[in-house]
Amino acid sequence: RRCGSAQRASQQKRQMAHEDISGLLHSKVHNTETLIKALRTRLDSLRSAIVLANKSVKSLAEMHTQREAPLTVCLWRLDRRKRRPRGELVVDPCQEALEAERATLERARKALHSAAHVTKTLIHEAEEVYDALELDHRDKAQAAVVDKRCLTWMS
């Protein structure tokens, strides 16, 4: 009789432990699936940001190139003015306007180049974060598959 009640008590303890483990595993699967969805949302958002940043770099490069022709014309005009006869080599409003235009165009090109460089650096960093998040996403997805198999096996 004692042996039978000890076996029943042991059986009940095993059943309770099994239910506790099963409940914890269900909870873990739910939490992992929530994390997987959050990571997917974050990955999608980050990929969109990277795509937009790449478009921005292209746009900056195009704007940089578009400043080339006006700068070339401006430099050509300044060069022609330097070749004038000595008596005509004066700093007049036209000369000042050309110098100001040259400075503005050079500053704009430098700013565009700098912005493109900064954006490329940010893209590189974002891609590294994306790769790390993607790896984490894959690991969590694999863990969820294993945990679900365990739940099926435990049932």
Side-chain angles (χ1 to χ4, degrees):
R1 202 174 224 199
R2 237 187 212 175
C3 193
S5 96
Q7 282 181 336
R8 275 192 303 275
S10 176
Q11 178 73 20
Q12 286 176 342
K13 284 183 181 178
R14 279 196 302 269
Q15 182 62 32
M16 287 175 58
H18 182 277
E19 289 172 5
D20 288 346
I21 291 170
S22 179
L24 289 171
L25 200 50
H26 274 288
S27 178
K28 182 177 185 277
V29 167
H30 174 74
N31 290 341
T32 301
E33 287 175 343
T34 301
L35 287 171
I36 288 169
K37 287 177 187 172
L39 280 169
R40 174 51 41 208
T41 300
R42 205 163 164 202
L43 282 164
D44 292 345
S45 174
L46 189 53
R47 177 54 52 205
S48 294
I50 290 169
V51 167
L52 288 174
N54 276 314
K55 286 180 182 178
S56 177
V57 167
K58 275 186 180 179
S59 178
L60 290 167
E62 287 171 8
M63 287 188 283
H64 185 270
T65 301
Q66 290 170 354
R67 301 304 180 274
E68 219 170 279
L71 182 58
T72 301
V73 170
C74 182
L75 292 173
W76 179 82
R77 287 177 178 162
L78 284 168
D79 182 59
R80 292 295 171 243
R81 289 182 67 82
K82 285 180 188 173
R83 295 176 187 215
R84 292 184 304 176
R86 222 177 196 1
E88 293 180 24
L89 289 175
V90 294
V91 177
D92 57 4
C94 184
Q95 179 79 24
E96 290 172 350
L98 284 171
E99 291 292 343
E101 182 181 1
R102 180 192 53 77
T104 300
L105 289 168
E106 286 176 347
R107 272 194 314 274
R109 283 176 51 95
K110 187 175 180 177
L112 290 167
H113 178 75
S114 177
H117 177 73
V118 168
T119 305
K120 285 177 186 177
T121 300
L122 291 173
I123 290 169
H124 177 72
E125 291 170 3
E127 286 173 337
E128 287 179 351
V129 169
Y130 184 90
D131 290 343
L133 288 174
E134 194 172 46
L135 180 62
D136 191 26
H137 181 269
R138 269 187 262 132
D139 289 347
K140 283 182 177 31
Q142 182 62 36
V145 167
V146 170
D147 290 345
K148 286 177 186 177
R149 285 183 185 161
C150 288
L151 279 173
T152 303
W153 179 76
M154 290 176 71
S155 300

